[in-house]
Amino acid sequence: MTRSHLRKEVTRRPLFLRNLGWLSVVLTLCLASCARMGNPDGGWYDETPPKVVSSEPNDRGTNVTAKRITINFDEYIKIEDPQNKVIISPPQLEMPEIKAAGKRIIVNLRDSLKPNTTYTVDFSDAISDNNEGNPMGNYTFTFSTGEQIDTLQVAGYALDASNLEPIKGILVGLYPDSTFADSTFHKVPLLRVSRTNGSGFFSIKGVAPGRYIVRALQDADGDFVYGQKSEAIGFLNDTIVPGTTMAIRQDTIWRDPLHIDKITQTDYIRYLPDNLSLLCFQAKLTDRYLIKNERKDPEKLGFFFSYGNDSLPVIRGLNFDEKDAFLTEASEKRDTIYYWLRDTALVNQDTLRMEATYLMTDSTGTLVSKTDTIEALAKTPYAKRLKDKQKEIEQWEKEQEKKKKRGEPYDSVRAPEFLTVKISPMGQMAPNQNVYFEFPVPLDSCNMDGIHLYSMIDSVWYRAPHLFEQVSLRRYVLKAEWRPGIEYSLEIDSMAFINIFGNFNKPIKQGLKVMPEDRFSTLMVNLTHMPDSGTVYVQMLDGSDKPSRSEKVIDGSAEFYYVRPGKYYLRAFVDLNDNGIWDTGDYDSGRQAEDVFYFHEEVECKEKWDVTRNWDLTYRPRYQQKPAAITKQKPDKDRQVSNRNAQRAAEKGITYVPKNK
């Protein structure tokens, strides 16, 4: 057939046959487009967590004698921070070996296995696949050396007793009530243990039926017993009885991100107790010893002790006369003591040799007298201080000479070194505040007649009554009836203050303005379900959890006047010994730390507002009280399976349908 005949033959075919070729091309393109759903360039990422396929011995196996555990997975895996994340119960005094090798995890237990005991290896969320890091989720391997597996669980929260902060990484464990005595915590390792997560939550698994004592321990030396006062602990006074109950859990199934498809109910076994609150504390360190002594500044000697005592060190000079040589300044806890040298001759002496007699704790815990020979060396020698002072004088003289040559005003006599004083507050103040004076060096004399306070009323200045009192060695307070909206003038004569080295103050004039009442708020806190004993204090806290105000609860209420506008939080503590401060507990005497509570919401105070809050101290469990905004220990971030496939598909404009491996 010729080509012309062929063309005629084609044109004589039916129309649908003539378009068949084009139709096949279109179908091919459509199929290619549909194929893009499952295989973008480079293939899909693996987003499936690893799965356990077998183990030796079997998970939940009984009559196990082997101390080597091998767990096999369906892909290559890795384990994150096993020494801290993996917890074995009963606890192992000799550190077990835990490692990932290809598609398996190998655990070598080095302690002897106890007979008829359920063992749990809690991996938490430490296991993930090696390629994409997909987490397996919380996983626990269990076996028993006896005939049966113990399945009960005990759960709750460990919190810092002083501020209800969740404690991460503290051990929480059990002792059988039948064999427990107060000294057991000091001598016998915890029977079953768990470690808290970032929320302070713990779950002790593999518990046998019975009655138990609960203890928490920040184990410093790895022996699972309370052996050092520096270890934080927590304890419950009552025994617990683990058990179970049937419960119903509601699960929400979403049709899309905005619409609920249905809510299902699922029966499950609830293990009890599951809401224990362990309020943990560090016992007061009462062992007293001298940490160090120093002479950082030539005019004072510093002694630093591990613990305070009412009896201060007694100093006897070996190369100087100690009589009337010192002014003594002790910290509030009396664990830091400064001895200020009154005589400039001693200040200029580079080395002061002395005997210091003080009380310290001996090996039996008894305070005994101890005498040390001490050489206190000035950090900067007198010769260098003198040289630096001379340079300063020469520099001043050169500056005055230059001014003289230029015909500018100059000083022929150098002004004395005046005493400095820090006055607070400066400028504006609240009606319930007072004015404080702080001096860098102790005063030798204070002329009360040289301190004047004036108030302006109807544009006329009047003398205002006031009191000037010493608070501590270097701190004083000026008290007055500060009237809202009134302007004051604080005026101090020259030489009203003279320090121990003869320096005196220049004349001081400081304006003060007491803000009017309508610039403040008032906060009333009404408390219910307060404890039967002790005095309750309510503290106003700022956004960093630091107290700014504190008031005693009287007749069930704490009243805060002249509150500056702002957002606050509330904390209450029970003062059992009426010393005005929170006190820690002591295990050996069975004394818990003083109770602390948090109001669960932020409190906003505005100008001219009277704010009232009703607070039931026990309405919420302790672990739900502290607002998240001021909780520093944040919950652990859940390790999520990667969603990079969905991201890649969205970038390419295709649909991704997850598949199981």
Side-chain angles (χ1 to χ4, degrees), residues 146-344:
E147 296 286 345
Q148 63 182 17
I149 295 285
D150 296 322
T151 60
L152 296 178
Q153 299 179 23
V154 173
Y157 295 83
L159 309 174
D160 187 323
S162 66
N163 55 19
L164 302 192
E165 278 284 317
I167 303 178
K168 181 178 180 178
I170 193 171
L171 294 174
V172 182
L174 305 177
Y175 288 108
D177 178 53
S178 58
T179 60
F180 186 81
D182 289 339
S183 60
T184 303
F185 196 21
H186 290 296
K187 300 176 181 179
V188 181
L190 293 161
L191 172 65
R192 305 207 65 82
V193 294
S194 175
R195 198 186 300 275
T196 57
N197 63 16
S199 300
F201 178 77
F202 65 88
S203 179
I204 306 172
K205 301 175 181 178
V207 180
R211 300 176 64 87
Y212 292 93
I213 302 295
V214 185
R215 295 291 181 263
L217 174 66
Q218 194 81 59
D219 195 13
D221 46 15
D223 59 359
F224 298 93
V225 298
Y226 178 36
Q228 306 176 37
K229 280 192 172 183
S230 59
E231 295 175 322
I233 62 162
F235 64 97
L236 297 180
N237 293 323
D238 299 326
T239 59
I240 64 165
V241 181
T244 61
T245 186
M246 294 304 298
I248 297 175
R249 177 175 55 241
Q250 288 189 338
D251 296 321
T252 302
I253 300 175
W254 295 84
R255 183 184 312 129
D256 55 54
L258 299 177
H259 301 89
I260 296 175
D261 186 21
K262 60 181 177 179
I263 298 176
T264 63
Q265 292 186 339
T266 305
D267 294 335
Y268 73 99
I269 298 175
R270 180 181 175 185
Y271 295 93
L272 300 173
D274 59 359
N275 60 351
L276 299 175
S277 289
L278 280 157
L279 301 176
C280 304
F281 59 88
Q282 186 176 351
K284 187 177 291 185
L285 301 177
T286 55
D287 290 344
R288 190 171 197 260
Y289 54 89
L290 179 63
I291 298 174
K292 66 175 182 177
N293 65 277
E294 66 178 17
R295 191 182 174 193
K296 188 175 181 180
D297 300 314
E299 65 270 16
K300 64 180 179 180
L301 313 173
F303 289 80
F304 303 87
F305 290 88
S306 61
Y307 189 73
N309 191 276
D310 290 337
S311 177
L312 299 180
V314 176
I315 305 298
R316 186 175 76 86
L318 299 179
N319 64 346
F320 67 95
D321 184 3
E322 77 282 356
K323 186 178 180 181
D324 298 326
F326 304 116
L327 284 178
T328 305
E329 180 181 18
S331 65
E332 183 179 357
K333 295 182 179 179
R334 302 180 77 83
D335 54 1
T336 301
I337 301 100
Y338 287 109
Y339 293 88
W340 291 85
L341 300 170
R342 303 170 63 106
D343 190 346
T344 54

Side-chain angles (χ1 to χ4, degrees), residues 568-588:
Y568 299 93
Y569 300 89
L570 300 178
R571 174 170 65 203
F573 73 91
V574 182
D575 184 15
L576 293 175
N577 56 3
D578 287 327
N579 64 351
I581 60 174
W582 177 86
D583 287 298
T584 188
D586 182 78
Y587 176 76
D588 292 326

